[in-house]
Amino acid sequence: MGVYLLLYLQSSINNPFRYVREYVAKVVQSELRRLGFDVDFSDVYSTLEIPPDESLGDLAFPVFKIAKKFKQNPLTLASTVTFNIQQCKHVLVKRVKAVKGYVNFFINTAELAKILFESIRSLGENYGFVKVEKPLRIVVEHTSANPVHPLHIGHCRNAIIGDTLARLLKLRGHKVETRFYINDMGRQVATLVYGYTVLGKPKPKGKPDHYLGLIYAITNTIIEIDRLKSEIEKCKKSNEYEKVREKLRELDELISVASELRSRDRELFDKLAEKLKGRDHESEISRLMREYEFRESKETVETFREVCSLVIQGFKETLSKLGITFDKWDWESDIAWSGLVRKLIDLAKSRNLITLYKGALALNLKDVQEDPDVREKLKLPSFNIPPLILMRSDGTTLYTTRDVAYSLVKFENADKVINVIMNEQRLEQLQVRLALAALGYRRQAYNQIHYVYEIVKLPGFKMSGRKGRYITMDEAIEEAIVRARVEVDKRNPTLPARVREEIAKSVGLGALRYAMISVSATKPMIFEWDRVLSLEVNSGPYIQYAHARAVNILQKYGKPVDYDRIDYSAAEETQRRRRLVKLLSQMPEVFSRAADELKPEYIVEYLGKVAEEFNAFYTEDPVIGEPDEGKRNFKLALVEATRIVLRNSLNALGITAPERM
RNA sequence: GGGCCCGUAGCCUAGCCUGGAUAGGGCGCCGGCCUCCUAAGCCGGUGGUCCGGGGUUCAAAUCCCCGCGGGCCCGCCA
C-alpha cells in the first residue's frame, strides 16, 4: 500500500482518472509478477482500456498479449488473475470480474469522487490543465492570408485551428508564440498595388480589406481576360482550334465573374477597366515586384506597405472579434531585405548544392533525399522531388526560397514550429523542410510540423480570392451572432438588451468555433450556415447550455458547497452519477492528449459526452430538492465539478461559458 | 503518368497512428415528456456490405497488398 500512497500523492490531485489507471495497473502488475510473469508497469498501464459497455466494468485489462507471451490460455489466465485480486481488499476497486479473457474492474466511485472533488476544490479554474514536465518554446504560425482580400471562411478554419492549438499548448505549460506571415512579395500583392495605383490610390470605402479585396479581384479578372484574349488570338493564328475552344470556355467563365464583380460596385469596376485598358499588365507587375524586392523605388515600396497595412488592419479587426491575436506579424519583405535569403543562396553555393534546373538557379535535393535519416524523419514519399528553383531569371526570389529563410527566423527562439497551412501546400512545405535539411539545418527540418487542414468549400463551388468569390469571415461572424440573438430574444425577452447582446455573442461565436474544430482538420469541409451555426445537440451552444444550467442550480442554491458534509455513498446510487464522476475525472487526461497530439477535437468529443450526461442528470435527479443533506451536498459538488470542467474545457477551445442563456 | 489526403446509415461525423468484447454521436424521420433547479433539454424508436477484394492475426473499421470513387499537388504562382 505504501507504493499506492506515493502514487496517490503524485498524480491523484491533478489527474484523478490517471490515478485510477495507475492504481489498477499496479494491482494487475503485482498479481502477474506473483504468478511468475515479469511484466512492465508501463505495458500494463497502456494495455488498460475502457470497456465498450459499462455493465462489463469501468476499466479492463485484456490478457491476450501476456497470455501469448508466456504461452498461457487467456481465459484461464484472466480467471486466475481475477481470483487472486479478489483475495485482497483494494480501496479503489469495488469488484473484479473475468470475462472472456478480460479482467474487468469496477471502480469504487465514492472513492474516486473524493479525489475528484478535492482536485476541483484546490485547482478550480486550473483543473484539467496538467503541465508538461519539460516546457518547449513553440511557434504556431497560422492564418497568414495574402493581404489582398478580406479573410474568408477558409481562413476562419485556419485561424480557429491555429488559435486553438496555441491555447492548448500554452495551457499545457509550453512557451508559445503565435506568428502571422505577411506574404507581401508575391504576384498577388503586386497585382493589387497595380490596380490601386492606376486608380489613383483611392481612400477605402468601408472596411479596407473588403474594399481593396474588390479592387484586387477586379484587377485580376481584367488582367486574366486580357491575357486569355491575346492567347486566343495567338492560337487562332496557328490554327489550334481545339485550344481556342477550350480558352473560349475559360473566357466565358471569367466574363461572368467580371459581371458579378461589376454588380458589386459598378463605378469602381468601370473606372478600373478604363484605366487598365491598353496597358502591358505583365511587364508593369513584374516591374513593381522588382522595384519592391530591390527597393528601387521609394514610392513603390511605400505603396506596397500602405496597401498591405490597410488590409491587415481589416484582418486584425476581424480576428479580434473571435478573440484571436498574434504575438508577431512578420513581413516577408523584411526577411528578403535582411539579406537572409541571399545568405542562404551563398550557403547553398558553398556547399556545392547549386544546380541549374530548367535554366534557373536551383537547389539540388537529390543527395538529401537519399539520406535514410532524412527519409524517415520527414516521411518522404516514394518519388523524386526535383531541384527547388531558388531564383527567377530576373534575379527576384521565389516564395518557397523566402519561406525557407522564414523558417530559420521562426526557429531563432523556438524548439518546435507548427505551421497551420492548407493541404494544397503539402509539397511546398515538404520542400522547405528538405531544403533546410540539405543546407544543414537538421534541427529545424525535423522540428517543423506542417499542420494540414483541408479547404472549406461552398456547396456549389470552391472559393476564390482571385475571383472575389467567397463568404467573408466578417459575414460568418455577423450571421452567427444574429442567429444566436434571435434565440436569446425569444427565450429571455426580459433581460436588458446589453446582457442579451453579450449572450448572443458568446453563443454565436461559440457555435462557430465549435463547428470549425469538431471536424478533423484533414477532412474537407462544406460550409453550410445551418450546420456551422447549429444551436442544437452536439453543438457549441448545447455545451454552453449545460454549463448555464449548472450555474443556475448553484445560483439558486445560493450558498457555497459544503465539502465537509458530503455523503459519498450517494456516488454509487445511480449509473448517471457514477458516469459523471468517472467522466469528470478524465478531463486532465483528455486535455493532455489533445494538447500533446495537437487534436482539439478530442476535447470537443469529451465535452459532448459531459454535457450529455449532465443534461440527463439534470432532468432525472433533482439537486436542490434533495432532502438528505449529505446527498444534496454530494450532488451540489458534482454540479460544481461539472460547471468547472465544462467552463475550463470550453475556455481551452477559446469558447466562453455564459452563466445564463 | 507519379505522389499525398479522404471514403463509416438518406446527410454530417467519432473511432484508424498505438488491432481487442454487440462500430459511438448528431441531423432527418416516427412516438412520448414542462403544476417540480432554464424544453437551446430529456426518454424511446427508425436506419450500417465500416468503398470492394485478398492477406497477416486467437482477434481487422483499425495493420499490409491489389483495385474503385472523390479531392489536391507535381509552376522561373503563392
Side-chain angles (χ1 to χ4, degrees):
Chain A
M1 272 329 267
V3 179
Y4 299 155
L5 191 65
L6 189 66
L7 282 167
Y8 177 91
L9 291 172
Q10 278 173 352
S11 74
S12 71
I13 198 66
N14 61 15
N15 202 337
F17 204 78
R18 177 171 157 181
Y19 170 62
V20 173
R21 283 185 204 268
E22 286 173 349
Y23 185 100
V24 168
K26 208 74 205 169
V27 170
V28 171
Q29 188 202 20
S30 56
E31 273 325 315
L32 284 169
R33 285 206 163 153
R34 194 170 308 176
L35 290 168
F37 308 127
D38 188 30
V39 288
D40 283 348
F41 174 78
S42 60
D43 279 347
V44 176
Y45 180 86
S46 62
T47 306
L48 289 177
E49 57 186 53
I50 293 175
D53 187 325
E54 64 186 355
S55 67
L56 290 163
D58 301 314
L59 213 48
F61 178 73
V63 302
F64 305 103
K65 260 177 229 151
I66 296 213
K68 190 170 188 183
K69 191 174 168 193
F70 295 100
K71 300 195 167 57
Q72 299 291 310
N73 178 311
L75 271 58
T76 321
L77 183 60
S79 305
T80 311
V81 170
T82 302
F83 178 79
N84 288 350
I85 291 172
Q86 284 165 340
Q87 302 316 302
C88 298
K89 215 178 156 67
H90 300 283
V91 188
L92 266 176
V93 178
K94 199 170 57 182
R95 208 148 58 84
V96 198
K97 208 177 152 195
V99 184
K100 292 195 284 186
Y102 292 82
V103 182
N104 289 337
F105 293 85
F106 292 82
I107 305 298
N108 183 336
T109 330
E111 287 302 315
L112 179 57
K114 271 184 208 165
I115 302 170
L116 171 68
F117 293 166
E118 183 56 34
S119 189
I120 292 278
R121 261 179 95 180
S122 60
L123 296 171
E125 63 181 25
N126 294 314
Y127 174 73
F129 304 132
V130 188
K131 307 294 181 211
V132 283
E133 281 166 37
K134 290 179 194 149
L136 298 173
R137 298 165 304 166
I138 303 176
V139 163
V140 180
E141 185 218 317
H142 67 89
T143 310
S144 300
N146 279 321
V148 291
H149 45 55
L151 298 171
H152 57 59
I153 50 178
H155 304 119
C156 187
R157 189 177 197 187
N158 186 321
I160 287 171
I161 290 172
D163 182 65
T164 306
L165 291 177
R167 276 171 201 272
L168 294 182
L169 292 168
K170 226 176 268 178
L171 286 165
R172 188 80 170 107
H174 298 293
K175 196 179 166 299
V176 178
E177 188 176 65
T178 51
R179 290 184 170 231
F180 187 111
Y181 189 40
I182 303 167
N183 185 223
D184 59 332
M185 291 191 72
R187 184 157 233 108
Q188 306 199 38
V189 173
T191 303
L192 171 57
V193 167
Y194 177 49
Y196 179 70
T197 308
V198 300
L199 276 172
K201 306 183 188 177
K203 214 177 144 76
K205 285 187 271 181
K207 207 160 167 283
D209 48 338
H210 289 241
Y211 187 73
L212 291 170
L214 189 55
I215 294 180
Y216 169 70
I218 295 170
T219 308
N220 193 262
T221 304
I222 290 172
I223 291 173
E224 288 290 296
I225 288 174
D226 288 350
R227 187 179 56 82
L228 263 178
K229 278 182 179 164
S230 77
E231 277 175 14
I232 288 168
E233 283 313 306
K234 237 184 257 167
C235 291
K236 271 185 186 164
K237 273 179 197 155
S238 54
N239 293 330
E240 295 172 274
Y241 293 108
E242 191 54 43
K243 273 192 183 169
V244 170
R245 222 167 302 147
E246 198 181 299
K247 288 188 191 292
L248 277 173
R249 262 198 301 273
E250 262 180 76
L251 186 61
D252 258 11
E253 158 79 5
L254 276 172
I255 285 174
S256 83
V257 168
S259 105
E260 280 170 33
L261 291 169
R262 184 165 184 266
S263 71
R264 277 161 62 181
D265 189 334
R266 212 157 272 216
E267 199 187 327
L268 182 70
F269 186 97
D270 292 344
K271 189 170 175 196
L272 202 40
E274 170 65 30
K275 299 274 183 190
L276 287 172
K277 195 172 258 172
R279 284 173 178 263
D280 182 351
H281 312 309
E282 281 309 309
S283 69
E284 294 212 38
I285 287 173
S286 298
R287 176 183 52 84
L288 285 169
M289 287 175 76
R290 238 183 6 258
E291 285 176 354
Y292 191 47
E293 178 156 356
F294 301 124
R295 285 178 286 183
E296 285 167 356
S297 149
K298 195 169 169 241
E299 198 203 331
T300 300
V301 169
E302 276 169 7
T303 314
F304 268 71
R305 286 285 169 142
E306 180 187 323
V307 162
C308 292
S309 300
L310 281 167
V311 175
I312 288 162
Q313 192 190 310
F315 286 178
K316 285 185 180 169
E317 194 187 318
T318 304
L319 291 165
S320 76
K321 294 184 211 162
L322 278 168
I324 299 175
T325 56
F326 286 87
D327 298 315
K328 292 217 167 91
W329 295 77
D330 302 309
W331 293 78
E332 190 180 23
S333 49
D334 282 341
I335 288 161
W337 295 340
S338 75
L340 186 56
V341 177
R342 181 67 44 188
K343 249 173 70 187
L344 280 179
I345 292 171
D346 290 342
L347 180 65
K349 279 180 186 159
S350 74
R351 292 188 149 231
N352 226 348
L353 289 165
I354 293 294
T355 173
L356 233 63
Y357 186 66
K358 296 183 182 174
L361 196 71
L363 185 68
N364 187 355
L365 296 175
K366 191 161 176 277
D367 295 341
V368 74
Q369 283 182 80
E370 282 162 10
D371 184 322
D373 194 45
V374 172
R375 287 207 77 81
E376 192 215 316
K377 295 250 172 57
L378 297 188
K379 295 199 180 81
L380 292 186
S382 52
F383 76 101
N384 238 357
I385 294 164
L388 175 66
I389 294 178
L390 296 170
M391 218 185 243
R392 296 191 186 91
S393 309
D394 68 358
T396 56
T397 53
L398 283 130
Y399 172 77
T400 309
T401 318
R402 299 188 296 260
D403 209 7
V404 174
Y406 183 42
S407 286
L408 294 181
V409 172
K410 285 184 282 191
F411 268 107
E412 269 166 15
N413 250 320
D415 306 305
K416 196 192 258 190
V417 168
I418 298 168
N419 298 326
V420 183
I421 299 176
M422 59 180 167
N423 182 244
E424 277 177 11
Q425 292 210 38
R426 224 178 175 109
L427 182 61
E428 188 272 347
Q429 280 291 302
L430 187 59
Q431 284 172 326
V432 168
R433 293 195 298 276
L434 214 45
L436 287 168
L439 294 166
Y441 297 105
R442 295 281 166 118
R443 178 179 80 87
Q444 290 86 335
Y446 296 162
N447 290 297
Q448 179 155 55
I449 295 167
H450 177 198
Y451 195 93
V452 179
Y453 77 95
E454 264 291 351
I455 56 165
V456 178
K457 285 183 186 168
L458 295 173
F461 55 98
K462 200 175 149 179
M463 282 185 294
S464 161
R466 298 176 196 218
K467 293 175 183 163
R469 277 180 171 163
Y470 40 72
I471 294 179
T472 65
M473 206 158 140
D474 290 312
E475 286 171 77
I477 291 168
E478 179 59 29
E479 180 70 19
I481 295 172
V482 166
R483 283 179 184 230
R485 186 162 37 218
V486 170
E487 284 302 304
V488 175
D489 290 349
K490 202 158 70 190
R491 288 158 209 278
N492 301 293
T494 54
L495 284 176
R498 199 180 45 79
V499 178
R500 288 202 308 263
E501 182 60 22
E502 215 165 280
I503 297 170
K505 257 192 193 168
S506 171
V507 171
L509 297 174
L512 190 58
R513 283 194 87 121
Y514 193 92
M516 283 292 172
I517 42 173
S518 59
V519 178
S520 290
T522 49
K523 280 202 178 177
M525 179 183 272
I526 294 172
F527 186 92
E528 280 165 292
W529 290 112
D530 285 344
R531 192 169 300 152
V532 175
L533 306 176
S534 163
L535 306 176
E536 293 178 32
V537 175
N538 205 10
S539 71
Y542 174 79
I543 316 292
Q544 290 173 318
Y545 185 63
H547 174 264
R549 285 175 132 187
V551 170
N552 190 52
I553 291 175
L554 296 165
Q555 272 175 1
K556 279 259 158 70
Y557 179 66
K559 285 173 281 187
V561 180
D562 187 352
Y563 283 97
D564 298 324
R565 290 166 201 249
I566 290 178
D567 178 359
Y568 283 98
S569 71
E572 296 280 352
E573 281 174 0
T574 72
Q575 271 314 318
R576 194 71 67 192
R577 296 181 204 164
R578 296 194 79 240
R579 270 188 232 157
L580 259 179
V581 169
K582 279 191 289 172
L583 256 182
L584 297 172
S585 342
Q586 285 165 10
M587 185 195 157
E589 286 189 336
V590 173
F591 163 76
S592 307
R593 264 188 72 217
D596 295 346
E597 293 178 31
L598 305 177
K599 301 226 164 136
E601 60 270 32
Y602 291 166
I603 295 178
V604 168
E605 194 196 353
Y606 173 71
L607 275 169
K609 280 193 218 156
V610 174
E612 189 183 10
E613 286 304 329
F614 179 73
N615 274 328
F617 166 80
Y618 182 95
T619 38
E620 71 192 33
D621 204 350
V623 176
I624 297 173
E626 168 62 54
D628 182 280
E629 191 197 3
K631 289 179 181 175
R632 187 170 61 239
N633 284 334
F634 170 82
K635 290 188 195 175
L636 284 162
L638 195 57
V639 174
E640 171 75 355
T642 306
R643 195 201 109 227
I644 286 174
V645 164
L646 288 174
R647 191 197 54 194
N648 289 3
S649 302
L650 282 171
N651 288 170
L653 302 177
I655 300 171
T656 51
E659 306 228 313
R660 58 184 304 172
M661 56 189 277

